[in-house]
Amino acid sequence: MSMKATPASADQCPAWASLAEAAESLRTGTIQSLFDTDPQRVARFSVDGAGLRCDFSRQHADANVLHLFASLADQLQLRERISQMFDGELINTTERRAVLHTALRRIGAPGEVVRVQGVDVMPDVLRERARMLKFAESVRSGSVRGSTGQPFERVINIGIGGSDLGPAMAVEALHAHAAGAPRLAFVANVDGSQLVDALSSADPARTLFIVCSKTFSTQETRANALAARAWLQERLGAAAVPAHFAAVSVNAAAMDEFGVHPDYRFAIWDWVGGRYSIWSSIGVALAIALGADGFEAFLAGGRAMDEHFRHAPWEQNLPVLAAMFGVWNRNCLGLPSLAVLPYDQRLSRFPAYLQQLDMESNGKSVKRDGQPVFGPTAPVVWGEPGSMAQHSFFQLLHQGSPVAALDFILPRESSCGRPEQHQLAIANCLAQAEAFAFGRGVQRISAELRASGLDAQHVAELLPHKVHEGNRPSTLILFRRLDPRTLGSLIALYEHKVFVQSVVWGINAFDQWGVELGKKLCEGILPLVRDPASALAASATGTGPLTPSLAGVLKWLSGAGDVDDGSSA
Ligand code: F6P
């Protein structure tokens, strides 16, 4: 029996050429005309799964395109590719690792086995989850205490990238579900300002630090963790450190060396990518905020999306459709960015979280086999809570260039107990989605201007400025309320979307080699920054390695070329 070879990327599939043709023929039409010609459009383009509804009807695509998405998924053998991820195959090829964040949300039902190179990882996953949740509950209840016997009133999470963005975003998003928890703060930036702010009002005897770092070697996290330890030691003495520091890492030896008590150390594994790690003990700050039941509900939301992703047919599969519309916008319609616009202030860090998830995963130019990708990959992801964004950058989105694709995220219920104010948020969100899709044309605007009493010349002058072209594609992601389960589903939706897009582009979504060069160069530059005068002197005598581009800035750094601020004039 001859097995069909798996295509390396979408450009090797017949459906890809058909999608390009479809884009060409739709290019001259409008989203409005797609609504006019298909009375079933909203039903056809609205899909439910794992507590979320995605309304894709404002995308610039017709039913034929939906059909081609399904064909493309089949031709890419997506079902098999999904199974490879869930089954622990080494799909992170450059690092020769499995990718098993989905195992972190499993319940460990009898017979549920997830093997990595022949070894079942579920016993370790369940054991560490139980330890971490017990610890989180003990911090909440006050049974775990600081060195002076006082309960913790403040928890400071120290980490960066995936060891910060997920927990920080989720703790803020689920603020309404964190009653009774200690105050949580997040410190990531290497410059120390977040740490200074977090410590400024902290009582050392009642402060717990959690150092989250998969590697435990990240410069930013080490700098902040060492500064926090020094702060604590100065106030409570070195013997107090083990009672005030917990840590999460693959690197047990480094946690030991730092002085973390074995009971407060939590393991993760190399098959958990940093940006996919919130489901592991890296989420301990979230577990402290929510308690064990809340964290379990969060995992259940992710698990529900996993089930949906694995089993729903392509036409009803939220992550697959979200991915395909993203690829359609990026590659077929040429839209370079995706603006993420939550209409709930509690999701204010969600765009930042997605930036790492999407751009660190798919911001690549070569395929798994080392060949160039056939076209553009991850869009620039950006965004802000919609309410504020309307009054800052929406002008560009409405009438500027380039055109961006848009994700509106909208809960039905208020997350802060203010239903009437939330209705304002909902109305604004819907108004914007309508305006972006349908715009407002010349005839309607000129009629409105004439009706307002303007003379013909004034109308003619204003007209080009007021016309809204519309045709800005968007997806509405709707759900009942922002709770732990729903947030779990929402995050997993985007995780799987990113994975499907990586299959379309043929890239490995789970490495991040591009971030290494800057880290390496920083090691060499740090001594120059610490002593710019010596570096400049050495370079003048030809004994120091200084590039011209660095020399200029080092001169300024040494104070030699200070900028006149005009205050002496
Ligand atoms: O520099 C990028 C990165 O490696 C991310 O992928 C990761 O989430 C972050 O740094 C932090 O890494 P760690 O958890 O090992 O400190």
Side-chain angles (χ1 to χ4, degrees):
M1 194 174 72
S2 76
M3 295 279 286
K4 253 195 177 165
T6 311
S9 49
D11 56 322
Q12 299 172 7
C13 301
W16 189 249
S18 308
L19 279 167
E21 278 167 29
E24 208 40 55
S25 72
L26 283 169
R27 201 174 288 278
T28 48
T30 60
I31 297 174
Q32 177 71 65
S33 65
L34 295 171
F35 273 88
D36 295 342
T37 52
D38 182 0
Q40 300 305 317
R41 184 169 172 83
V42 174
R44 201 193 299 282
F45 282 75
S46 294
V47 175
D48 295 356
L52 307 180
R53 168 166 299 170
C54 287
D55 175 355
F56 298 109
S57 65
R58 293 171 190 78
Q59 291 290 341
H60 196 166
D62 60 11
N64 173 47
V65 170
L66 276 187
H67 176 69
L68 290 172
F69 287 166
S71 304
L72 182 62
D74 280 335
Q75 289 163 18
L76 285 165
Q77 299 175 23
L78 184 58
R79 203 64 79 185
E80 289 79 352
R81 300 293 299 277
I82 293 170
S83 297
Q84 286 170 357
M85 177 170 71
F86 278 83
D87 293 346
E89 289 193 29
L90 306 188
I91 63 169
N92 176 356
T93 43
T94 60
E95 297 179 303
R96 302 197 179 157
R97 289 177 182 166
V99 173
L100 276 177
H101 47 282
T102 53
L104 298 167
R105 16 197 213 236
R106 293 200 179 188
I107 48 170
E112 195 176 55
V113 170
V114 183
R115 287 203 173 85
V116 176
Q117 296 186 292
V119 179
D120 181 13
V121 299
M122 285 313 296
D124 281 356
V125 167
L126 298 175
R127 193 189 54 245
E128 282 304 295
R129 186 191 301 162
R131 285 186 63 233
M132 183 275 276
L133 291 179
K134 189 162 171 240
F135 175 73
E137 281 293 351
S138 307
V139 172
R140 279 177 70 87
S141 69
S143 63
V144 161
R145 295 176 174 226
S147 56
T148 65
Q150 299 188 66
F152 295 115
E153 61 169 19
R154 183 173 309 222
V155 175
I156 300 178
N157 189 92
I158 299 176
I160 198 163
S163 299
D164 165 72
L165 286 163
M169 174 277 290
V171 164
E172 188 177 339
L174 299 175
H175 178 82
H177 299 262
R183 236 169 93 186
L184 285 134
F186 292 85
V187 169
N189 198 309
V190 75
D191 71 6
S193 53
Q194 288 176 307
L195 184 66
V196 167
D197 289 353
L199 297 180
S200 65
S201 57
D203 171 359
R206 292 157 71 87
T207 298
L208 172 70
F209 296 94
I210 305 173
V211 184
C212 284
S213 176
K214 182 176 167 184
T215 55
F216 226 76
S217 61
T218 304
Q219 183 202 55
E220 294 87 340
T221 301
R222 285 196 70 80
N224 280 316
L226 290 169
R229 191 176 69 179
W231 176 87
L232 191 94
Q233 264 176 223
E234 261 172 42
R235 286 156 181 82
L236 300 180
V241 167
H244 289 263
F245 277 83
V248 187
S249 182
V250 173
N251 191 343
M255 291 191 277
D256 272 348
E257 187 254 320
F258 190 86
V260 180
H261 190 281
D263 290 349
Y264 295 0
R265 272 177 12 193
F266 301 96
I268 53 170
W269 305 274
D270 66 5
W271 43 260
V272 187
R275 51 195 176 272
Y276 299 88
S277 63
I278 186 174
W279 318 96
S280 71
S281 293
I282 291 286
V284 60
L286 179 62
I288 291 171
L290 301 179
D293 289 348
F295 194 82
E296 295 278 13
F298 172 71
L299 296 183
R303 198 161 58 240
M305 184 55 75
D306 292 341
E307 289 305 301
H308 170 84
F309 179 48
R310 295 186 84 174
H311 304 298
W314 302 139
E315 298 81 356
Q316 297 296 317
N317 195 310
L318 290 179
V320 173
L321 289 170
M324 292 293 182
F325 277 115
V327 166
W328 169 255
N329 286 329
R330 185 79 183 98
N331 298 89
C332 303
L333 304 185
L335 310 189
S337 81
L338 171 69
V340 178
L341 308 162
Y343 275 76
D344 186 324
Q345 179 61 25
R346 297 274 184 234
L347 284 169
S348 67
R349 295 293 287 157
F350 197 62
Y353 172 77
L354 287 187
Q355 284 177 326
Q356 188 199 14
L357 177 64
D358 197 321
M359 296 198 279
E360 198 173 74
S361 296
N362 284 340
K364 320 237 165 102
S365 302
V366 294
K367 295 195 287 189
R368 287 147 61 95
D369 59 10
Q371 296 301 311
V373 185
F374 58 87
T377 56
V380 175
V381 178
W382 56 299
E384 269 282 296
S387 182
M388 278 97 104
Q390 286 177 211
H391 297 274
S392 62
F393 57 77
F394 267 35
Q395 167 61 38
L396 180 146
L397 294 181
H398 280 294
Q399 290 183 313
S401 63
V403 171
L406 313 166
D407 275 2
F408 291 101
I409 301 177
L410 181 63
R412 191 167 68 207
E413 292 176 12
S414 164
S415 60
C416 62
R418 294 197 162 262
E420 279 169 24
Q421 277 189 257
H422 191 58
Q423 283 171 358
L424 298 176
I426 294 173
N428 271 285
C429 178
L430 298 182
Q432 293 296 332
E434 293 292 287
F436 282 121
F438 308 120
R440 188 144 286 190
V442 173
Q443 285 184 348
R444 181 90 182 264
I445 300 271
S446 55
E448 284 172 5
L449 289 175
R450 280 198 307 273
S452 73
L454 295 187
D455 61 47
Q457 190 190 341
H458 202 170
V459 169
E461 278 167 12
L462 268 183
L463 202 52
H465 300 278
K466 297 208 65 158
V467 166
H468 277 245
E469 189 190 339
N471 256 354
R472 270 73 174 150
S474 66
T475 296
L476 254 63
I477 301 174
L478 309 168
F479 47 87
R480 199 171 99 199
R481 65 165 175 260
L482 188 56
D483 57 19
R485 190 182 170 97
T486 309
L487 185 67
S489 300
L490 186 66
I491 294 173
L493 165 68
Y494 278 97
E495 284 179 348
H496 293 322
K497 168 193 164 175
V498 164
F499 171 68
V500 173
Q501 292 186 331
S502 77
V503 174
V504 171
W505 290 317
I507 58 190
N508 176 4
F510 303 106
D511 59 11
Q512 56 283 320
W513 298 106
V515 301
E516 295 305 323
L517 176 60
K519 288 185 195 172
K520 205 171 157 56
L521 292 180
C522 181
E523 282 169 25
I525 290 176
L526 184 57
L528 312 181
V529 169
R530 289 201 163 127
D531 187 359
S534 301
L536 288 164
S539 139
T541 58
T543 52
L546 211 52
T547 60
S549 51
L550 274 178
V553 186
L554 286 184
K555 246 181 244 160
W556 162 80
L557 207 54
S558 70
D562 232 347
V563 182
D564 181 4
D565 67 1
S567 58
S568 54

